[in-house]
């Protein structure tokens, strides 16, 4: 029994065989997408984004992880120049005879749930290229820098034979952790003059970054930022120390070096066997995320029931204490998750 | 409409200054009252640039004009000169010009029907020569085009090269270019552009070159217009314009290549917008002259009245021209022109009444000229200088605009200066804020636009169809480009181009190399390619 | 509102960089709950490719110059995504407006009020 957050928050029950017609239609789409139909691929990503039964149908048709495809994450604060850098990097990748898909995630507005997705504006060089697939995704309320469907969209792209996938996400500090648990090589983009940020987020940054980019190297403060960064990394053993690459994305400067650093990192973790471990970790995080998402929906639902209100009132009167009320609700949650027909 | 609605209205100027029911002597700040004693034509010049005002020299009727092939534009300019225009603006096609693309660039090919809509296509000195055929270069004030920063060196060098071929001594050639940061980096952000630092260098290079060779030429013209029409209000337009001037002056000061006083004079021909708030806009022109005096004296110790006397070209607000009931725009153009004239500007362009519908038609052009002629000849407005001087309302508005404008100027300095506010998008945000507020006020009914928000019932029998474009502009431009490539002296062109590239890289003044490039028939797109490889692309903060 | 999850592509067909209008419209659409994908100045084939890859529910074109450039972009989007509605804003002379409307495209000339534009987006995306 699967349960998934629908777009407007209604939980839905996602049993196999509930709507054979739709299932068949989606399988057909998947077939077309696998054969290279970009329209079908694009529509399927929308299905994944909408969640619910349709998404579950598509996900069932995807294997867990294609071994021969590779994912690079690009993260950093808004305005760091990630999209501009991706544009330059795409050039290097395509020149290397690669086909590349990009998922560009930007936050949804918490108020209106709408979003302005402007990453493509920076990517004109590849706007109509058959070798590049770009998809803008709104986070749709998901915290952690990824959109609700980023991980499943990645798996879909892999299934459709895109050998190289980039994920651009907005991140500062903690938030980068999500991209780390989803991608094989994580590139963290900083700017000159960010010594303080480097200090403040030292632990988090070092945990996630495989490569640091100091973009906007044309701006003042480059040297200081580089020094701060090197200082922060000095404690790491030589072979685990992330590369630092300087770029001026608007001029395409440094893109070659960044691409080389990505390739080198890939090679290193493939040879050392770390890639296999990472992917196990990713799988674990993905599965956990899946379960968490469903629990969250059930929780929301639980707190909309009388049961929660009753416990709240009881606590208010002093009739029960917090742990006791919590136990009652946890038991209720359990039966809610297990109930076959909840609506 | 509600006859009582005026009673509870909160009366403000267009820039949001609160307005009183009426003004008395005590409302004029002390300092401003002292200034009122000065006559027009003497510092601090808020009362006018010249004691004789328009008696000495009528304002110049200066209209944008251009479309199609160079010969079409030449014909239009000559038509306008015959109609009574006293200067001319040579407009280059913006698709090719602003981007320094030749017509065979894929981004132009994809939009080939747009080519020639906004100006004539001029890709080499041959095209510029056709466009300038028989124009009175020495006796009328020419605008060589090149409004966008990366295009200006090409447009100017082209104009000057043709003038030289005609045997004109550059030292005697009057005119201007524009090379405006407001247009380039704020108002009309192109798809590709040199970064602001390179743009600053180009403008300083042009100023130096003119200082040496073209003393009568106005090398750059800062156009607050383009900031205002993007959303900056009156005092923001003023503050930002002088913040821009400071960037130029500081650059020249750093270079020490020409006297700072000459640089200040080079910056003293500016361009403002006149919009619909009649008294605020007239006051703005007065405030501008006053601020220039203050800036030069306080910051640079320059008091030479020849330099501190700001000359203003004014254009009426294109963005206030409505799509609905377009003939109403003739009235709007008249009111805005009146504001400019009351403010004592030296030169004026009136936006076409069909501006919101299309590129101005010939009739709209003619009306823009007629509006000005009617004001000049039938209203007696030219008889008396600074007719609003001494009005308690206008004097206090002037003083308040000056104060707020310096406040905005300081905000820009706090952001790291004018260029920094363009690079970061800070200035764009200020403009966008006002824009959104305007939309909100139009929805709420606080701001009324006749024919748009109110009185939408159009019984006007006139249908304005707008300018339809020129069919063969693209094809002819492509043929001419191929012909230049076929028939020019290739070795010479190649040499001039590599020299230009070397200069772009080594930091010397680019204008001599640009003159050689034009002389050697290097084309616009080749120059653009050099820029792109040397300077890269401006990191635009805009996302659309 | 049912605008959540509806996706709108916004492009400029010309090379002229007036950004105020499209920006204000994009923000209004976002505030109404739409996901607005901006691609800036784009050639017809770029508009078409984005309309496919981004699986949008509506295409908004800001046009500045000659109507034929817009017509070409509209033709390419129509061929790739025949079911997707298109609306147009910008400087659109009456003759161009008539031509665009005859192609089944809604036109919002200067002076159009934001609530009307948002309402059109709601209607055209079926979010009403
Ligand atoms: N000076 C400079 N500006 C850059 C550079 N890279 C990007 N930018 C600018 O930084 C701003 C934000 O870029 P964008 O790629 O959208 O950043 P993102 O939010 O991280 O994706 C834009 O104005 C870019 O043009 C660079 O290397 N140097
Ligand atoms: Mg981005």
């Amino acid at each position: 029994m699967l349960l998934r957050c629908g777009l407007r928050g209604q939980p839905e029950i996602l049993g196999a065989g509930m709507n054979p017609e739709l299932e068949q239609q989606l399988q057909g789409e998947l077939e077309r997408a696998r054969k290279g139909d970009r329209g079908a691929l694009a529509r399927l990503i929308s299905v994944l984004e909408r969640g619910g039964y349709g998404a579950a149908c598509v996900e069932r048709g995807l294997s867990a992880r294609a071994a021969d495809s590779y994912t690079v994450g690009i993260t950093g604060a808004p305005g760091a120049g990630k999209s501009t850098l991706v544009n330059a990097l795409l050039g290097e990748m395509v020149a290397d005879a690669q086909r590349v898909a990009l998922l560009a995630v930007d936050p949804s507005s918490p108020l209106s749930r709408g979003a302005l997705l402007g990453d493509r504006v920076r990517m004109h060089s590849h706007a109509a290229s058959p070798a590049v697939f770009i998809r803008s995704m709104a986070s749709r309320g998901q915290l952690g820098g990824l959109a609700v469907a980023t991980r499943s969209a990645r798996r879909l792209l892999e299934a459709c034979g895109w050998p190289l996938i980039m994920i651009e996400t907005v991140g500062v500090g903690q938030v980068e952790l999500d991209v780390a648990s989803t991608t094989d090589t994580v590139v963290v983009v900083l700017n000159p003059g960010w010594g303080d940020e480097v200090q403040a987020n030292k632990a988090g940054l070092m945990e996630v970054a495989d490569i640091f980019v100091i973009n906007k190297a044309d701006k003042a403060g480059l040297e200081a930022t580089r020094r701060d960064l090197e200082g922060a990394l000095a404690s790491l053993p030589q072979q685990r120390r992330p590369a630092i690459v300087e770029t001026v994305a608007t001029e395409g400067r440094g893109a070659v070096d960044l691409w080389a650093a990505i390739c080198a990192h890939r090679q290193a973790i493939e040879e050392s066997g770390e890639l296999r471990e990472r992917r196990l970790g990713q799988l674990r995080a993905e599965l956990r995320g899946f379960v968490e998402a469903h629990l969250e929906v059930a929780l929301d639902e639980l707190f909309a029931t009388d049961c929660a209100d009753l416990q709240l009132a009881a606590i208010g009167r002093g009739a029960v204490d917090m742990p006791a009320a919590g136990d009652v609700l946890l038991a209720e949650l359990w039966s809610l998750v297990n109930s076959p027909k909840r609506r | 409409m509600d006859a009582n609605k005026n009673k509870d209205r909160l009366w403000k100027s267009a820039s949001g200054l609160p307005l009183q029911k009426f003004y008395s002597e005590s409302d004029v700040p002390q300092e401003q009252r002292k200034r009122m004693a000065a006559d027009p034509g003497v510092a601090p010049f808020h009362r006018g640039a010249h004691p004789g005002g328009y008696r000495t020299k009528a304002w110049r009727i200066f209209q944008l004009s251009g479309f199609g092939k160079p010969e079409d534009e030449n014909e239009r300019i000559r038509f306008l000169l015959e109609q009574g225009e006293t200067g001319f603006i040579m407009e280059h096609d913006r698709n090719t010009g602003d981007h320094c693309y030749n017509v065979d660039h894929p981004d132009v090919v994809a939009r080939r029907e747009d080519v020639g809509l906004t100006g004539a296509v001029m890709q080499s000195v041959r095209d510029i020569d056709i466009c300038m055929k028989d124009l009175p270069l020495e006796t009328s004030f020419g605008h060589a085009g090149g409004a966008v920063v990366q295009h200006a060196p090409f447009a100017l060098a082209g104009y000057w090269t043709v003038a030289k071929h005609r045997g004109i001594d550059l030292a005697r050639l009057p005119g201007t270019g524009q090379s405006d940061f407001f247009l380039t980096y704020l108002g009309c952000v192109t798809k590709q552009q040199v970064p602001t630092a390179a743009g600053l260098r180009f403008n300083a290079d042009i100023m130096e070159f003119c200082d040496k060779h073209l003393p009568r030429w106005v090398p750059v013209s800062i156009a607050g217009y383009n900031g205002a029409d993007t959303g900056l209000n009156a005092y923001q337009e003023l503050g930002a314009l002088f913040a821009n001037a400071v960037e130029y002056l500081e650059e020249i000061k750093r270079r020490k290549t020409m006297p700072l006083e000459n640089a200040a004079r080079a910056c003293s021909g500016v361009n403002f917008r006149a919009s619909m708030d009649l008294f605020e806009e007239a006051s703005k022109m007065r405030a501008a002259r006053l601020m220039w005096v203050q800036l030069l004296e306080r910051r640079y110790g320059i008091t030479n009245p020849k330099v501190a006397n700001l000359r203003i070209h004014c254009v009426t607000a294109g963005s206030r021209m409505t799509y609905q009931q377009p003939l109403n725009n003739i009235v709007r153009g008249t009111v805005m022109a009146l504001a400019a004239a009351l403010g004592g500007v030296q030169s004026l362009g009136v936006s076409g009444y069909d501006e919101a519908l299309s590129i101005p038609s010939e009739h709209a052009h003619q009306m823009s000229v007629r509006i000005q002629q009617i004001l000049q000849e039938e209203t007696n407005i030219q008889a008396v200088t600074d007719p609003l001087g001494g009005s308690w309302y206008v004097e206090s508005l002037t003083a308040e605009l000056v104060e707020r404008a310096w406040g905005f100027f300081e905000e820009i300095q706090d952001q790291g200066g004018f260029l920094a506010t363009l690079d970061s998008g800070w200035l764009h945000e200020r403009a966008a804020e006002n824009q959104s507020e305007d939309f909100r006020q139009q929805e709420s009914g606080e701001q009324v636009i006749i024919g748009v928000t109110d009185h939408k019932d159009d019984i006007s029998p006139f249908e304005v169809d707008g300018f339809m474009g020129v069919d063969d502009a693209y094809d002819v431009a492509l043929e001419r480009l191929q012909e230049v490539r076929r028939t020019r002296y290739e070795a010479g062109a190649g040499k001039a181009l590599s020299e230009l590239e070397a200069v772009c890289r080594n930091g010397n003044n680019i204008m001599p190399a640009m003159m050689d490039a034009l002389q050697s028939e290097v084309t616009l797109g080749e120059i653009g390619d050099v820029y792109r490889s040397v300077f890269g692309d401006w990191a635009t903060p805009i996302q659309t | 509102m049912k605008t959540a999850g509806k996706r709108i592509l916004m492009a400029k067909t010309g090379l002229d960089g007036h950004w105020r209008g499209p920006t204000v419209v994009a923000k209004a659409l976002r505030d109404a709950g739409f996901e607005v994908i901006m691609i800036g100045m784009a050639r017809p084939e770029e508009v078409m490719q984005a309309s496919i890859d981004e699986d949008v529910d509506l295409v908004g074109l800001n046009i500045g110059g000659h109507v034929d450039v817009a017509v070409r972009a509209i033709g390419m989007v129509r061929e790739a995504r025949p079911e997707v509605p298109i609306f147009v804003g910008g400087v659109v002379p009456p003759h161009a407006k008539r031509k665009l409307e005859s192609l089944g495209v809604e036109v919002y000339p200067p002076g159009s009020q934001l609530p009307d534009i948002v309402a059109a987006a709601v209607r055209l995306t079926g979010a009403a």
Side-chain angles (χ1 to χ4, degrees):
Chain A
M1 176 66 31
L2 291 175
L3 157 74
R4 212 177 143 151
C5 176
L7 187 63
R8 282 173 291 280
Q10 306 97 326
E12 290 170 38
I13 296 155
L14 311 173
M18 259 179 54
N19 184 344
E21 215 169 288
L22 178 64
E23 234 166 289
Q24 207 173 2
Q25 185 216 324
L26 289 172
Q27 289 310 315
E29 285 277 68
L30 193 51
E31 261 334 289
R32 281 190 291 280
R34 280 186 208 270
K35 287 193 184 120
D37 179 340
R38 285 170 76 137
L41 170 59
R43 287 189 295 276
L44 285 173
I45 295 178
S46 302
V47 172
L48 292 172
E49 285 193 298
R50 278 192 289 273
Y53 178 65
C57 291
V58 177
E59 299 214 42
R60 265 197 298 276
L62 305 174
S63 63
R65 191 72 214 270
D68 50 354
S69 117
Y70 199 82
T71 307
V72 177
I74 308 244
T75 189
K82 300 178 293 296
S83 299
T84 316
L85 189 62
V86 164
N87 184 50
L89 199 53
L90 284 170
E92 295 306 319
M93 292 169 165
V94 171
D96 236 5
Q98 300 255 18
R99 293 163 62 241
V100 195
L102 169 72
L103 300 173
V105 185
D106 274 321
S108 299
S109 146
L111 286 179
S112 71
R113 302 168 79 183
L116 281 188
L117 308 174
D119 294 321
R120 275 187 103 102
V121 174
R122 314 272 178 220
M123 300 177 189
H124 276 295
S125 328
H126 312 283
S129 160
V132 177
F133 177 89
I134 303 173
R135 177 67 175 231
S136 314
M137 300 180 98
S139 65
R140 298 199 179 173
Q142 182 88 345
L143 300 173
L146 296 185
V148 174
T150 309
R151 289 185 175 121
S152 27
R154 194 267 310 270
R155 284 196 283 140
L156 174 64
L157 288 165
E158 288 180 346
C160 294
W162 289 86
L164 188 58
I165 296 160
M166 275 201 285
I167 302 180
E168 178 191 330
T169 82
V170 173
V172 259
Q174 293 304 309
V175 166
E176 282 123 358
L177 292 171
D178 256 16
V179 77
S181 63
T182 307
T183 57
D184 300 322
T185 297
V186 177
V187 178
V188 173
V189 183
L190 306 172
N191 292 155
W194 282 13
D196 294 348
E197 278 82 350
V198 171
Q199 283 308 320
N201 295 314
K202 202 166 132 182
L205 285 173
M206 290 194 340
E207 196 173 332
V208 299
D210 299 309
I211 297 168
F212 281 103
V213 169
I214 310 179
N215 184 43
K216 309 198 184 181
D218 53 329
K219 300 242 167 184
L222 173 66
E223 283 315 310
T225 302
R226 192 180 179 105
R227 245 182 290 118
D228 287 339
L229 197 52
E230 280 168 349
L233 300 176
S235 60
L236 293 176
Q238 185 73 47
Q239 72 278 15
R240 291 195 47 85
R241 223 173 277 169
I244 302 175
V245 182
E246 291 169 11
T247 60
V248 181
T250 39
E251 295 170 29
R253 255 199 280 158
V256 184
D257 306 331
L258 177 55
W259 178 224
I262 292 171
C263 293
H265 180 253
R266 175 175 184 172
Q267 198 184 354
I269 62 171
E270 272 173 356
E271 280 169 7
S272 69
E274 194 187 324
L275 181 60
R276 221 174 326 111
E277 269 170 55
R278 280 191 181 212
R279 291 212 167 161
L280 271 175
Q282 289 170 17
L283 205 57
R284 191 187 173 81
E286 213 160 319
L287 184 58
R288 194 191 156 102
F290 202 75
V291 175
E292 267 173 8
H294 296 168
L295 271 179
E296 185 123 339
V297 176
L299 254 181
D300 282 349
E301 203 176 285
L302 177 66
F303 270 83
T305 61
D306 295 344
C307 177
D309 289 342
L310 279 174
Q311 293 302 319
L312 281 169
I315 294 174
R317 284 197 311 275
V320 287
D321 57 18
M322 189 72 84
D327 281 343
V328 173
L329 288 182
L330 276 172
E332 194 62 31
L333 180 69
W334 182 244
S335 63
L336 195 65
V337 169
N338 277 308
S339 83
K341 280 252 175 288
R342 295 192 295 114
R343 268 192 301 169
Chain B
M1 205 183 289
D2 181 3
N4 278 327
K5 92 174 198 185
N6 278 358
K7 271 212 298 224
D8 347 291
R9 196 160 138 192
L10 201 63
W11 292 93
K12 291 175 300 190
S13 77
S15 71
L17 311 188
L19 296 180
Q20 298 173 199
K21 279 199 192 73
F22 55 84
Y23 285 75
S24 315
E25 193 173 355
S26 59
D27 294 315
V28 181
Q30 191 58 39
E31 250 181 303
Q32 185 69 13
R33 251 182 282 173
K34 268 190 259 154
R35 286 184 202 119
M36 283 164 69
D39 286 341
V42 297
F45 294 115
H46 63 293
R47 301 210 52 205
H50 198 280
Y54 298 135
R55 287 189 188 198
T56 310
K57 198 169 181 202
W59 73 78
R60 179 185 304 124
I61 300 177
F62 207 41
Q63 293 291 138
L64 287 176
S65 49
F67 66 95
K69 306 185 292 299
E71 48 269 52
D72 300 324
E73 178 154 319
N74 177 262
E75 205 176 297
R76 173 75 73 94
I77 291 173
R78 285 195 287 171
F79 166 79
L80 284 167
L81 288 173
E82 269 164 37
Q83 294 293 310
E85 242 197 307
T86 44
F88 61 88
I89 304 181
M90 246 173 67
E91 275 208 279
H92 294 237
D93 168 64
R94 306 202 51 183
N95 290 274
T96 47
D98 291 4
H99 296 87
C100 296
Y101 291 153
N102 284 339
V103 287
D104 57 356
H105 187 283
D107 260 327
V108 180
V109 176
R111 303 165 174 93
R112 52 192 167 275
E113 297 88 348
D114 283 352
V115 168
L117 272 184
T118 44
V121 189
M122 292 184 256
Q123 306 170 91
S124 78
V125 72
R126 293 189 199 175
D127 297 330
I128 298 175
D129 185 60
I130 297 171
C131 189
M132 290 167 68
K133 186 163 178 281
D134 296 335
L135 297 185
L137 301 187
E138 278 169 298
T139 51
S140 63
F141 192 80
H143 182 316
V148 158
V149 169
Q150 69 178 0
H151 184 222
F154 171 89
L156 293 174
Y159 191 97
W160 298 338
T161 302
V162 171
K164 259 168 71 178
H165 286 176
R166 306 233 168 116
I168 295 170
D169 178 5
L170 290 190
R172 294 172 23 82
L173 188 67
T176 184
Q178 196 172 42
S179 199
D180 175 44
F181 270 63
F182 282 97
L183 178 70
T184 308
Y185 299 109
L186 178 65
C188 215
V189 175
T190 46
K191 186 163 180 181
Q192 184 278 322
Q193 190 65 225
V194 297
T196 49
L200 180 61
R201 171 186 162 190
F202 285 6
N203 280 2
D205 286 352
I206 293 169
M207 285 162 70
E208 278 174 17
F209 189 82
C210 289
D211 190 50
K212 275 207 198 89
H213 306 289
L214 289 108
R216 296 185 61 199
W217 194 270
V218 179
V220 292
S221 168
I222 306 176
Y225 175 94
N226 294 307
D229 232 34
T230 308
L232 298 184
N233 68 31
Y235 60 81
Q236 291 172 333
E237 181 187 7
L238 286 165
L241 183 139
F242 292 113
N244 185 350
V246 163
E247 294 274 9
Y248 294 166
L249 293 175
E250 294 294 327
E251 172 67 12
I252 293 293
K253 197 168 147 191
R254 197 187 56 74
R255 292 185 178 199
K256 300 198 184 71
T257 45
M258 66 190 272
L260 200 60
E261 212 170 88
N262 292 10
R265 197 175 48 202
C267 292
S268 68
V270 299
N271 176 331
F272 280 103
R273 182 179 83 148
S275 191
M276 288 299 285
D277 188 330
L278 182 65
F279 291 104
E280 181 167 74
E281 295 297 83
S283 303
K284 182 174 79 185
M285 311 304 162
R286 306 173 87 244
R289 286 189 294 266
L290 177 54
M291 288 178 73
W292 184 234
V293 169
Q294 293 177 332
L295 178 77
L296 290 185
E297 186 174 344
R298 291 178 194 167
R299 200 168 170 123
Y300 301 106
I302 296 174
T303 52
N304 178 352
K306 282 217 171 78
V307 175
N309 193 350
L310 192 72
R311 284 148 301 139
I312 302 175
H313 171 58
C314 191
V315 180
T316 67
S319 66
R320 292 306 304 261
M321 302 283 103
T322 64
Y323 183 91
Q324 295 75 9
Q325 306 179 22
L327 293 186
N328 293 350
N329 295 328
I330 296 176
V331 181
R332 294 193 177 96
T334 308
V335 172
M336 296 193 249
L338 184 61
L342 291 173
V345 304
Q346 276 61 52
S347 149
L348 180 60
V350 173
S351 293
Y353 65 79
D354 55 4
E355 170 109 4
L357 286 85
S358 85
I359 310 301
S361 59
E362 193 146 316
H363 184 251
H365 258 308
Q366 194 184 45
M367 285 312 302
S368 296
V369 175
R370 290 287 177 264
I371 286 172
Q372 300 190 53
Q373 290 168 330
I374 290 169
L375 286 174
Q376 285 184 341
E377 302 302 334
E378 299 185 23
T379 66
N380 227 6
I381 198 176
Q382 304 195 91
V384 177
T385 310
D386 192 28
L388 300 180
S391 147
W392 292 317
Y393 173 32
V394 169
E395 295 295 354
S396 53
L397 253 185
T398 304
E400 179 143 16
L401 284 172
V402 169
E403 194 183 317
R404 294 214 184 197
W406 284 131
F408 193 68
F409 175 93
E410 285 309 327
E411 275 186 67
I412 292 173
Q413 304 313 314
D414 291 344
Q415 292 292 319
F418 181 68
L419 257 55
T421 63
L422 294 174
D423 287 338
S424 69
W426 184 89
L427 204 56
H428 307 75
E429 278 167 35
R430 300 289 81 72
E433 260 165 30
N434 292 345
Q435 192 76 27
S436 301
E437 176 61 14
D438 274 354
F439 268 98
R440 194 195 61 71
Q441 291 190 2
Q442 285 166 29
E443 274 164 39
S444 72
E446 287 160 76
Q447 206 181 95
V448 171
I449 301 174
I450 300 301
V452 178
T453 64
D454 287 63
H455 305 289
K456 299 187 222 181
D457 43 330
D458 192 357
I459 51 154
S460 156
F462 299 101
E463 161 111 341
V464 173
D465 226 344
F467 178 61
M468 307 286 274
V470 176
D471 285 341
D472 59 349
Y474 180 83
D475 293 335
V476 170
L478 189 60
E479 265 167 41
R480 287 191 178 148
L481 175 66
Q482 284 158 352
E483 189 179 297
V484 168
R485 285 185 181 140
R486 215 172 35 240
T487 58
R488 72 181 173 187
Y489 174 55
E490 199 54 41
K495 188 163 162 289
L497 192 60
S498 23
E499 175 58 22
L500 180 67
E501 171 157 6
V503 168
C504 283
R505 290 193 195 281
N506 71 21
N508 290 343
N509 192 308
I510 66 162
M511 291 313 291
M514 189 63 71
M515 292 290 283
D516 283 347
L518 269 286
Q519 174 68 35
S520 309
E521 306 194 299
V522 172
T523 63
L524 175 66
E526 293 166 305
I527 291 167
D529 288 341
V530 165
Y531 289 165
R532 287 180 274 277
S533 84
V534 176
F535 301 113
D537 194 7
W538 179 50
T540 161
I542 306 285
Q543 281 208 324
T544 51
Chain C
M1 213 177 328
K2 296 201 202 120
T3 53
K6 295 281 186 201
R7 294 162 64 83
I8 303 177
L9 182 71
M10 296 273 283
K12 290 174 65 70
T13 56
L15 275 183
D16 96 295
H18 286 106
W19 52 275
R20 293 170 310 144
T23 310
V24 173
V25 171
K27 285 193 179 139
L29 292 171
R30 176 202 55 196
D31 293 343
F34 289 102
E35 289 177 5
V36 184
I37 297 128
M38 291 183 292
I39 62 170
M41 298 177 211
R43 301 175 202 163
E45 65 269 24
E46 295 172 349
V47 181
M48 176 192 72
Q49 193 62 60
S51 78
I52 298 172
D53 292 356
E54 298 287 356
D55 189 33
V56 290
D57 303 290
L58 172 63
V59 173
L61 298 179
N62 179 270
I63 76 171
H66 201 288
V67 67
D68 285 355
V69 179
V71 168
R72 202 159 49 242
I74 289 165
M76 293 185 84
V77 172
R78 280 276 162 79
E79 202 174 316
R81 304 272 333 261
E83 74 287 5
V84 172
I86 301 172
F87 68 173
V88 166
V91 175
V92 191
H95 62 88
K97 186 163 182 277
R98 283 192 293 273
K99 184 158 183 178
L100 293 168
E101 283 169 346
S102 76
L103 295 172
V105 168
E106 294 193 12
V107 179
Y108 291 85
S112 303
Q113 299 296 295
L114 284 177
D116 296 337
I117 297 173
V118 171
V122 168
R123 174 169 41 78
L124 291 170
T125 56

